[in-house]
C-alpha cells in the first residue's frame, strides 16, 4: 500500500549559505524561514524490487536521493522503494524544491516503514539531505540554529499571516547546486567569514522581530541578509550571479512601493525569482505592480502554510 506525504517549500528570511566542515550537513549559518502554502511537493513511496524514482512523471536517477536512502538504511530498516514525487512549481529554479521534496520524502518514508520518528528526528534527517528541508517539517515561522541544527517552530501560519508574492523571471534550472555553490563561497569569497559572523547576529535579532511581529524590523533584517548572501555569491570565484535584469527591476519596484508606505520587503534565493513578503491587504497591489515589470513572466500570491504531513496511507 502506497503512502503519500505533502510538504511546502519554505523561504529563508535569514539565509543559510555555507556548511561547517564536519559530517552531518551542518550549516555554517543559522537561518529563519517562512513555510508557504499552495506550492507543494507530493511524494508517494511503496515497496519495490529495487529503488526507483519518478520526478514529475519522468524516471530519474538522483544521487542526493540515493545517498539519503543509504543514510536512512544505516539507522533504520528501509526496504527498496518506488518513489514518485511531483512539484506543482518549477524544480530547482530557486523555489526551494529540495526543501519540500526531502521534507515530504522523509515524512512519507517515516510513516510507510513505521520508523516512528519524532518531529525533531524528521527535521534532523531532512537536514542531512538538504539544509533547508529541516525547516519545511514545520509550518509558519521556523528557526534552524545551534546547538542541535533541528528546526524549531516560532509562530504558526495563523499567528502572523503574511503573504508572499512570487515573481517568476526565469524557469531554467540552476547550473550550480547549492552544496557546490556554498563550498565555492567558503573557499573563495573575501566576504564569507563576515557573512557567517553577522548572520548569527541577524538570526537573533530576527527571532525578536518575529516574536514582536515587528514587520519593519524583519524587513530590514531579511533584505540585508539576502543582499549579503548575494554579495558572497557574486564575489565567489567563479562568480554566481543569479539575478536577471527583471530581478533588479522588481527590487526597484518594491523600493517604490515601500516609499508609498506599503508593508513589503523582498528576498531572493539561489535563483532569479523575487519573493515579496507583505501584509495581506497589500498583496493584490504588489502582485499588480510586479506583473507589470518587464521580464516578469508570471506572479503567484501565496500565504503561509503548514508543516509536512501524510495525506494518504
Ligand atoms: O537546502 P539547500 O542545500 O538547497 O540550500 C538552500 C540555500 C538557500 O535557499 C539559498 C538559502 C536558505 O536558507 O534556504
Amino acid at each position: 500500500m502506497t503512502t503519500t506525504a505533502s510538504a511546502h517549500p519554505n523561504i529563508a528570511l535569514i539565509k543559510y549559505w555555507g556548511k561547517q566542515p564536519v559530517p552531518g550537513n551542518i550549516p555554517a549559518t543559522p537561518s529563519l524561514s517562512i513555510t508557504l502554502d499552495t506550492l507543494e511537493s507530493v511524494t508517494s513511496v511503496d515497496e519495490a524490487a529495487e529503488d526507483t524514482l519518478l520526478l514529475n512523471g519522468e524516471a530519474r536517477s538522483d544521487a542526493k536521493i540515493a545517498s539519503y536512502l543509504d543514510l536512512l538504511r544505516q539507522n533504520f530498516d528501509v526496504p527498496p522503494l518506488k518513489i514518485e514525487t511531483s512539484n506543482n512549481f518549477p524544480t530547482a529554479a530557486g523555489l526551494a524544491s529540495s526543501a519540500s521534496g526531502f521534507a515530504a520524502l522523509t515524512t512519507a518514508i517515516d510513516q510507510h516503514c513505521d520508523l516512528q520518528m519524532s518531529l525533531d528526528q524528521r527535521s534532523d534527517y531532512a537536514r542531512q539531505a538538504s539544509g533547508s528541508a529541516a525547516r519545511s517539517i514545520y509550518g509558519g515561522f521556523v528557526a534552524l540554529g545551534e546547538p542541535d541544527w533541528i528546526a524549531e517552530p516560532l509562530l504558526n501560519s495563523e499567528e502572523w499571516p503574511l503573504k508572499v508574492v512570487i515573481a517568476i523571471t526565469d524557469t531554467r534550472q540552476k547550473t550550480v547546486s547549492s552544496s557546490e555553490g556554498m563550498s565555492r563561497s567558503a573557499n573563495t569569497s573575501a566576504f564569507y567569514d563576515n557573512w557567517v559572523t553577522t548572520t548569527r547576529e541577524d538570526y537573533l535579532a530576527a527571532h525578536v522581530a518575529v516574536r514582536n511581529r515587528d514587520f519593519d524590523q524583519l524587513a530590514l533584517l531579511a533584505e540585508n541578509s539576502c543582499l549579503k548572501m548575494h554579495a558572497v555569491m557574486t564575489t565567489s570565484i567563479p562568480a554566481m550571479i543569479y539575478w536577471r535584469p527583471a530581478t533588479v527591476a522588481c527590487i526597484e519596484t518594491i523600493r517604490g512601493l515601500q516609499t508609498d508606505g506599503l508593508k513589503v520587503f523582498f528576498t531572493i534565493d539561489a535563483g532569479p525569482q523575487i519573493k515579496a513578503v507583505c501584509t495581506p491587504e497589500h498583496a493584490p497591489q504588489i502582485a499588480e505592480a510586479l506583473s507589470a515589470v518587464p521580464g516578469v513572466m508570471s506572479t503567484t500570491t501565496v500565504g503561509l502554510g503548514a508543516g509536512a504531513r501524510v495525506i494518504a496511507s
Side-chain angles (χ1 to χ4, degrees), residues 263-283:
K263 294 284 184 204
V264 57
F265 64 85
F266 66 83
T267 189
I268 308 158
D269 287 302
Q273 330 306 357
I274 279 263
K275 291 104 181 189
V277 182
C278 60
T279 52
E281 69 276 17
H282 293 144

Side-chain angles (χ1 to χ4, degrees), residues 7-306:
H8 300 293
N10 69 75
I11 292 175
L13 304 182
I14 301 300
K15 304 289 189 192
Y16 145 57
W17 190 255
K19 297 177 196 291
Q20 295 187 32
V22 293
N25 200 30
I26 306 291
T29 60
S31 55
L32 191 150
S33 61
I34 44 178
T35 300
L36 307 178
D37 64 13
T38 311
L39 310 180
E40 71 176 340
S41 295
V42 173
T43 303
S44 300
V45 298
D46 204 353
E47 258 120 279
E50 55 174 6
D51 289 334
T52 57
L53 170 68
L54 275 183
L55 173 63
N56 292 327
E58 273 178 45
R60 291 278 283 269
S61 65
D62 184 300
K64 261 182 111 177
I65 293 182
S67 60
Y68 187 52
L69 293 174
D70 286 347
L71 172 77
L72 290 175
R73 287 178 181 134
Q74 283 163 25
N75 299 291
F76 298 100
D77 193 11
V78 176
L81 293 173
K82 174 183 171 206
I83 299 170
E84 277 191 63
T85 187
S86 56
N87 302 320
N88 65 356
F89 59 94
T91 300
L95 280 177
S97 57
S98 71
S100 50
F102 279 108
L105 180 64
T106 308
T107 303
I109 294 177
D110 172 46
Q111 167 86 12
H112 190 78
C113 305
D114 195 25
L115 308 186
Q116 309 213 350
M117 286 192 195
S118 63
L119 280 165
D120 277 1
Q121 265 182 305
R122 272 203 272 146
S123 177
D124 190 28
Y125 275 100
R127 188 207 64 246
Q128 295 183 60
S130 168
S132 56
R135 303 183 309 236
S136 273
I137 296 295
Y138 292 104
F141 288 77
V142 182
L144 179 67
E146 286 158 313
D148 301 326
W149 303 98
I150 290 169
E152 173 202 352
L154 298 180
L155 291 180
N156 68 37
S157 53
E158 289 92 47
E159 287 175 299
W160 198 11
L162 299 179
K163 294 274 187 204
V164 183
V165 180
I166 301 167
I168 303 289
T169 63
D170 196 334
T171 53
R172 277 173 293 189
Q173 295 217 357
K174 61 186 178 193
T175 48
V176 182
S177 72
S178 303
S179 296
E180 192 187 329
M182 287 181 198
S183 86
R184 191 187 291 179
S185 292
N187 292 331
T188 61
S189 172
F191 301 144
Y192 182 78
D193 291 343
N194 181 278
W195 154 251
V196 172
T197 317
T198 59
T199 298
R200 295 206 184 105
E201 294 155 21
D202 296 344
Y203 173 75
L204 297 176
H207 260 79
V208 178
V210 167
R211 215 177 296 130
N212 295 338
R213 302 188 194 28
D214 183 341
F215 189 93
D216 294 342
Q217 182 62 13
L218 188 61
L220 209 67
L221 290 162
E223 288 191 352
N224 187 247
S225 177
C226 162
L227 293 170
K228 276 194 292 199
M229 179 180 77
H230 283 273
V232 168
M233 290 163 159
T234 53
T235 51
S236 300
I237 303 169
M240 290 167 282
I241 304 175
Y242 290 105
W243 298 5
R244 302 283 176 274
T247 317
V248 180
C250 285
I251 294 178
E252 303 241 298
T253 298
I254 290 168
R255 282 275 178 270
L257 294 167
Q258 289 169 334
T259 307
D260 294 344
L262 273 70
K263 294 284 184 204
V264 57
F265 64 85
F266 66 83
T267 189
I268 308 158
D269 287 302
Q273 330 306 357
I274 279 263
K275 291 104 181 189
V277 182
C278 60
T279 52
E281 69 276 17
H282 293 144
Q285 191 182 337
I286 291 158
E288 202 184 309
L290 292 179
S291 300
V293 171
V296 169
M297 297 160 71
S298 62
T299 64
T300 317
T301 302
V302 301
L304 304 196

